[in-house]
Amino acid sequence: MNKPAHPVAAKPVAYPAYDEDGYGWAMAQAAIIRAGRIDSIDWENVAEEIESMGKSEYRSAESTLVIVLLHLLRWEYQITFRTRSWSQSIEGHLEQFDDVIRENPSLKSRLPEMLARAQRKARYEAAKETGLSIDLFPLDPPSWDQIRGPLPE
């Protein structure tokens, strides 16, 4: 058998630049990883993308919670404007929030921080949408029991 005396190093794989073609770069990195070519992985940017994915999951949960809290504030402070669509939106967004948490259970450790941030954003949005003073809306978020409980009459 004709085997080389020394192993030949694999030729590095060329791929699109991360900052010039994100999609092409991502597809190339996936192919490189699947092929086991760890010598050709763009490690720094792969790590960046993985962190970004985690942050995106957090933002998705928080954004959904903001909508829930916004509708709860409007429900409480705009009694004459209550509609069935608001209550359905609250229920639907709570289900969506639960799905994100179920799919990302490590987010549970960040729920207190997320709830506080979501309340701050919901207050701002409620003031903007209703024309009411932001000071009317509570700084402290409702408890999880209040969020998940029946809507006040």
Side-chain angles (χ1 to χ4, degrees):
M1 299 199 136
N2 284 339
K3 288 186 179 179
H6 300 287
V8 177
K11 202 163 103 180
V13 176
Y15 47 80
Y18 175 74
D19 57 350
E20 293 177 8
D21 182 358
Y23 175 80
W25 173 88
M27 295 301 104
Q29 293 303 304
I32 290 167
I33 291 169
R34 285 189 181 95
R37 297 286 314 272
I38 61 171
D39 59 316
S40 296
I41 297 172
D42 181 0
W43 289 108
E44 185 60 34
N45 287 317
V46 167
E48 182 81 23
E49 284 300 309
I50 291 170
E51 287 174 348
S52 178
M53 184 180 74
K55 289 175 184 176
S56 178
E57 294 298 329
Y58 179 95
R59 283 191 301 271
S60 173
E62 183 184 270
S63 175
T64 304
L65 189 54
V66 168
I67 295 168
V68 170
L69 295 175
L70 168 62
H71 284 296
L72 286 173
L73 287 171
R74 292 187 68 188
W75 187 270
E76 186 173 344
Y77 291 92
Q78 288 192 305
I79 295 169
T80 59
F81 293 103
R82 289 179 180 173
T83 64
R84 181 172 162 84
S85 69
W86 278 0
S87 63
Q88 290 173 334
S89 175
I90 293 167
E91 290 172 18
H93 282 92
L94 274 173
E95 286 180 30
Q96 187 177 343
F97 176 79
D98 289 342
D99 287 346
V100 174
I101 299 301
R102 208 174 4 266
E103 293 166 4
N104 300 279
S106 62
L107 285 175
K108 288 179 184 176
S109 67
R110 299 198 54 201
L111 287 178
E113 164 199 347
M114 185 185 298
L115 182 58
R117 287 172 48 105
Q119 177 70 8
R120 188 183 79 240
K121 292 175 181 180
R123 286 179 75 234
Y124 173 79
E125 288 299 318
K128 194 168 76 171
E129 287 186 17
T130 64
L132 300 171
S133 169
I134 194 167
D135 296 327
L136 180 65
F137 304 109
L139 288 169
D140 293 329
S143 69
W144 289 106
D145 289 339
Q146 291 170 315
I147 292 170
R148 296 187 174 287
L151 290 171
E153 294 296 321

